[in-house]
Amino acid sequence: MLNQKAYQSLSHTFQRLHRFGHLGAIAGWDQAAMMPPKGNEARAAAQAELQVLMHQLITAPQLQEQLQAAEQEDLDPAQRANLREMRREWQQANLLPAELVEAKSLAAARCEHAWRSQRQGNDWQGFLLNFREVRDLGLEVMQLLGFDFDAGRLDVSNHPFCGGVPEDVRITTRYREDDFVQSLMGIIHETGHARYEQGLPRQWVEQPVGRARSMGIHESQSLSFEMQLGRSRGFLALIAPLIRRRFGDQPAFEADNLARLYTRVEPGYIRVDADELCYPAHVILRFEIERALINGEIEAEDVPALWDEKMMAYLGIDTRGNYRDGCLQDIHWTDTFGYFPSYTLGAMYAAQYFAVLRRQEPNLDARVAAGDLSPVFDWLQANIWSQGSLWTTDELARRATGEALNPAHYRAHLEARYLG
Amino acid sequence: MLNQKAYQSLSHTFQRLHRFGHLGAIAGWDQAAMMPPKGNEARAAAQAELQVLMHQLITAPQLQEQLQAAEQEDLDPAQRANLREMRREWQQANLLPAELVEAKSLAAARCEHAWRSQRQGNDWQGFLLNFREVRDLGLEVMQLLGFDFDAGRLDVSNHPFCGGVPEDVRITTRYREDDFVQSLMGIIHETGHARYEQGLPRQWVEQPVGRARSMGIHESQSLSFEMQLGRSRGFLALIAPLIRRRFGDQPAFEADNLARLYTRVEPGYIRVDADELCYPAHVILRFEIERALINGEIEAEDVPALWDEKMMAYLGIDTRGNYRDGCLQDIHWTDTFGYFPSYTLGAMYAAQYFAVLRRQEPNLDARVAAGDLSPVFDWLQANIWSQGSLWTTDELARRATGEALNPAHYRAHLEARYLG
C-alpha cells in the first residue's frame, strides 16, 4: 500500500479551504452584484471571520510537519505538483499574522463599499431594463465564446469582474449609455477569465494544483479573448452582423469600421477605458507609485501629486484636482495592492500564445470569420486551461510556446496592428 | 469589575457562529434564486463543510464548562436570557453526531436540487420579463408594508421563502401566469417574515437572544401580515386601487370582490395554495404522517397510501397516483422534518394578537383603509419583533396578549370571517 498519510491529511485540509473559499467567493459576488447597502457591515464582519478561519487552518502548526513528511511519501507527479502548490500557499499565508488578515478584510470591505457609493449611484436594476438589447447581445457573444451557462451567470455590477468558483462562474458587466461597444469588449474580456476557470482540470478542482496558475496567466486568458481574438479581423467580421441585427444596419457597424473603432488610440484619464496602446502606461504609472509606497520613498498623501506628474509625463494629460478620474478610479487600491502588472504581463503572454497559434493555423482569421473558433479554444484548453497549476509559470509558457515570457511578441503584435 | 469571563468567551463563539451562518444563509439564498444547475454539487459540498464546522464549534468540549461557569457570573437580565438561549442551541446541537450533520446537509442539498428540477422547469429570468407588472405591484405593496429595501431584496425562486440575515433579508416569490392575486399574498406573507427579521433587537443581532423566538412565532408574523392584515376589509380597500391602476378598472378588482376572492373556500391538492380554512387539514395530515414515521409505525414507502387515505378523509379529494401534487409537493420533506405545525401554530398566534389589537383599536379597519398601518406595525414591533428571544414562547405570548396560546381566538376569527 502507498504511504501517503501526511499527503492525504494535507489534501483534506486544502479541500476544506477550497470549500470555505467557495462560500466566500459567492458571498463576495453577492456583495458586488446583489447586496443592498445596509447589508455591508454584517457582510464585512462575516467575510473577515471566514478569512481568519481560513488563515488559522493554513497556519496550523501541524501543516509544517505534514508538508515535510509528505515530501518523503509515494506521490505521483500530479500529487507532487499539488504538494508544491500547497507549500507555496502555506508559505504565503504564514507571512501574515491573523490580526492583519482580519483587519485587512474588514478595511477592504469598508473601503470597497465606500468606493462604490462614493464614486457613483448604483441603480443597476433600473439600468438593466433599459439595456436589454445590449445584454442580449452580450449573452449571444458569450455563447459564441463557449461560456457554459449551466455553470455560470452574467449579471451587472459597478466594476466588471469574474468571480465565483470553477463550478459556478459569475461574470459581471457594466453598461454605459454612450458606449455599448466597450461593454461588449468587457464581456469578452470576462468570458476569457470564465473559460479558464471552467476549463481547469475538474479532477483537481478542490486542490491547489487545480487552480489557475497566476493572475498574470489569468489576465493572459482575458486578453487572449479581448485583444487577440476579440479585436481580430476575423472575429469582428463574425460579430458585425450580430451587432447590425440589434442596432440597425449602419455603416458604423461594418467590420472595417468596427476594427477602426476598436483600434482607435487616444490618451485618457481612465485605465479601464484605455486603448490597447495606452494601457501599459497606466499600468507602469501605478506600478511605480506602488513600488515607491512599499519602499517607503513616498507617503499616501504624496500619491495625487505623483499621479499628476506621471500622467503628464507618460500620456500628456493634466489630471490635477480630479481625484475621481485620477487616483480614486480603481477599486484595486481598496484591496489588492500590486495587481496591476498582471494586466501587462497577461497582454504579453497573450501575444506570445497567438504568435504560436497563428503560426500553427495561418488561416485563423478566415476560420474565425466563418464561425469556427475551435483552433483558439482547443489550443488554450490543451496548453493553459487543462494544465491548472501543474507547472511553474515559466514552465507552463515553455511547454505551450517553446520559450519563457518574451516581450518581443507583444511588441510585434502592437507594431503589426498599429503601424501595419 | 464584573466577572464575565466564561460568558464573554461564549459570546465570542456565538458571534462567530452567527457570522458563519450569515455566509451559509446567503449561499443558500443564492442556491435557490441565482445558482446555475452545475453549481449544485460544489455548493452542497461547501455548505456541508460549513455545517460540520459550525457543529464542531458548538459541540467543542469547553462549551459545556463555560456554560456552567457563566451561570455563576455577574450577568444582567438580557445576558442571562442570552445564556439560556446559548444553552438551548448547545443542547440541540449536541444531540447530533458530526457525521449525521454532514450527511444530512449533503443529502438535503441534493434532494432539494432534485426536487427543483424534477418538479418543474426553472426559467425564472424569462418568466420575470413577462411579469414586470406583477413584480412592480409586489414591490409597491412591500413598500406599503414597511419593508426596508436598503436592507433586503425581492427576487424570484421556485418556492417562495424569506432568507438571508436580519441585516440583509432576502425575500423570494414565484409568479403564476394564472393567478397574480395569489403571488401578491405570497409576497405579503414573506414580508411579514422579513419585517420580523428587520425588527429584531439590533444590539443583539449576533447573539442567540437576538434571534427570532421560534418558527411558530415566525409564522405568526407572516400570517399576521397575510391572513389577519392582508385579507382584512381595511387592507383590501387600501390596495384595490393599486391593483386597478395596474390591471385595469374592472369590477373584479373592487374591494368587496377581492374580499370574496381571498376568502373563497375550496378543497385542493396543494398545501401552499390552500385557503385559510382548508390549510390546517393539510398540516394535520402531514403532522400525522411525520409522527407515524418517527415512531416507526410506518415506513417511507407507506407514505403515498397514507396520504391518499387522509386526503380523502379530511378534504374529500382523490390523490391516488398523483405524487407531484401529492407527497412530492413540499420542499420541506427534503430537508426540514416536523416543520408543518409551525404554520398552524402561527395562524393561531396571529389570531390571538389581532384579537388584542382590535380590542385596543376598534377603528383598525378604517385606519388601515386610510393608509395608516402604524397600529399593526407598532404593536408587533413593541410586543414581538423587539423582543427577540428574551422570553420563552409562552412568556412572550403572555406579555403580549395576557395569556399563553389559546385556540379560542383562532376559532373565533374563522367563525367571524367564514360564518359571519
Side-chain angles (χ1 to χ4, degrees), chain A residues 22 30 38 148 150 170, chain B residues 22 30 38 43 148 170:
Chain A
H22 173 137
D30 180 273
K38 289 184 188 168
D148 180 353
D150 282 343
R170 306 291 173 95
Chain B
H22 173 138
D30 180 273
K38 289 184 189 168
R43 183 66 52 86
D148 181 352
R170 306 291 173 95

Side-chain angles (χ1 to χ4, degrees), chain A residues 16 19 22 26 29-30 34-39 42-43 45-46 49 132 148 150 152-153 167-168 170, chain B residues 16 19 22 26 29-30 34-39 42-43 45-46 49 53 132 148 150 152-153 167-168 170:
Chain A
R16 291 185 73 203
R19 291 173 176 180
H22 173 137
I26 292 300
W29 167 82
D30 180 273
M34 294 285 153
M35 188 187 73
K38 289 184 188 168
R43 182 67 52 86
E49 199 69 59
R132 188 97 44 83
D148 180 353
D150 282 343
R153 304 175 44 99
E167 307 93 325
D168 177 2
R170 306 291 173 95
Chain B
R16 291 185 74 202
R19 291 173 175 180
H22 173 138
I26 293 299
W29 168 83
D30 180 273
M34 295 285 152
M35 188 187 73
K38 289 184 189 168
R43 183 66 52 86
E49 199 68 59
L53 170 79
R132 190 94 45 82
D148 181 352
D150 281 343
R153 301 175 47 99
E167 307 93 324
D168 177 1
R170 306 291 173 95

Side-chain angles (χ1 to χ4, degrees), chain A residues 214-229:
Chain A
S214 70
M215 291 321 296
I217 298 299
H218 230 306
E219 294 299 341
S220 81
Q221 299 313 298
S222 53
L223 293 168
S224 284
F225 272 56
E226 181 191 350
M227 292 299 175
Q228 297 293 331
L229 174 62

Side-chain angles (χ1 to χ4, degrees), chain A residues 240-308:
Chain A
L242 306 183
I243 295 176
R244 286 200 300 272
R245 174 142 39 92
R246 301 206 177 258
F247 294 98
D249 208 346
Q250 308 169 30
F253 300 143
E254 297 294 332
D256 282 352
N257 276 327
L258 286 174
R260 268 191 283 277
L261 200 63
Y262 279 126
T263 56
R264 203 167 49 187
V265 175
E266 193 184 353
Y269 296 104
I270 305 293
R271 177 184 57 83
V272 296
D273 296 344
D275 56 73
E276 190 178 17
L277 215 51
C278 294
Y279 202 101
H282 289 272
V283 167
I284 292 166
L285 171 154
R286 284 158 177 76
F287 170 69
E288 290 176 347
I289 291 177
E290 288 177 341
R291 190 175 51 181
L293 276 168
I294 290 170
N295 291 345
E297 296 155 19
I298 60 166
E299 298 296 326
E301 48 266 37
D302 303 326
V303 170
L306 202 57
W307 186 282
D308 294 340

Side-chain angles (χ1 to χ4, degrees), chain A residues 44-95:
Chain A
Q47 289 278 40
E49 199 69 59
L50 186 74
Q51 294 306 316
V52 168
L53 169 80
M54 291 173 71
H55 188 256
Q56 283 169 346
L57 285 176
I58 201 169
T59 57
Q62 67 269 26
L63 253 65
Q64 182 160 26
E65 297 155 32
Q66 289 170 352
L67 285 165
Q68 259 155 14
E71 296 288 354
Q72 314 306 324
E73 293 181 343
D74 307 320
L75 307 182
D76 67 31
Q79 289 173 324
R80 207 155 281 289
N82 195 27
L83 182 61
R84 182 195 65 223
E85 297 303 318
M86 288 172 173
R87 182 176 288 280
R88 191 160 162 269
E89 293 196 7
W90 176 82
Q91 276 170 334
Q92 290 186 346
N94 278 272
L95 294 172

Side-chain angles (χ1 to χ4, degrees), chain B residues 27-232:
Chain B
W29 168 83
D30 180 273
Q31 192 164 12
M34 295 285 152
M35 188 187 73
K38 289 184 189 168
N40 193 61
E41 198 68 18
R43 183 66 52 86
Q47 289 278 39
E49 199 68 59
L50 186 75
Q51 295 305 317
V52 168
L53 170 79
M54 292 174 70
H55 188 256
Q56 282 168 346
L57 285 176
I58 202 170
T59 56
Q62 67 268 29
L63 253 64
Q64 181 160 25
E65 297 154 33
Q66 289 170 352
L67 285 166
Q68 258 154 13
E71 295 288 355
Q72 313 306 323
E73 295 181 343
D74 306 320
L75 307 181
D76 67 29
Q79 289 173 323
R80 207 154 281 289
N82 195 28
L83 183 61
R84 181 196 64 224
E85 296 304 318
M86 288 172 173
R87 182 175 287 279
R88 191 159 162 269
E89 292 195 8
W90 176 82
Q91 277 170 335
Q92 290 186 346
N94 278 273
L95 294 172
L96 306 173
E99 302 75 49
L100 181 63
V101 171
E102 182 176 17
K104 176 177 177 297
S105 177
L106 277 172
R110 294 217 183 89
C111 275
E112 182 172 328
H113 193 67
W115 178 83
R116 276 178 212 294
S117 51
Q118 282 162 19
R119 186 146 193 273
Q120 197 170 322
N122 220 358
D123 180 18
W124 297 110
Q125 297 295 328
F127 223 29
L128 246 194
L129 300 179
N130 299 326
F131 289 85
R132 190 94 45 82
E133 288 294 307
V134 185
R135 182 176 175 119
D136 285 352
L137 180 62
L139 293 171
E140 197 171 359
V141 168
M142 283 169 74
Q143 209 133 30
L144 207 64
L145 292 172
F147 183 89
D148 181 352
F149 281 97
D150 281 343
R153 301 175 47 99
L154 172 69
D155 294 277
V156 174
S157 74
N158 209 332
H159 180 83
F161 69 97
C162 173
V165 290
E167 307 93 324
D168 177 1
V169 177
R170 306 291 173 95
I171 292 186
T172 72
T173 180
R174 57 172 185 171
Y175 294 117
R176 293 165 44 137
E177 284 187 62
D178 55 337
D179 198 352
F180 86 89
V181 168
Q182 209 180 39
S183 309
L184 191 62
M185 275 300 155
I187 289 177
I188 293 170
H189 178 101
E190 301 303 334
T191 304
H193 284 305
R195 288 223 55 192
Y196 188 12
E197 290 290 318
Q198 292 183 333
L200 287 169
R202 207 39 73 103
Q203 72 273 29
W204 288 105
V205 71
E206 295 190 316
Q207 297 293 326
V209 76
R211 285 184 207 144
R213 175 60 279 182
S214 70
M215 292 321 296
I217 299 298
H218 230 308
E219 294 299 342
S220 80
Q221 300 311 298
S222 54
L223 294 168
S224 285
F225 272 55
E226 182 191 350
M227 292 300 176
Q228 297 293 330
L229 174 62
R231 288 169 203 241
S232 70

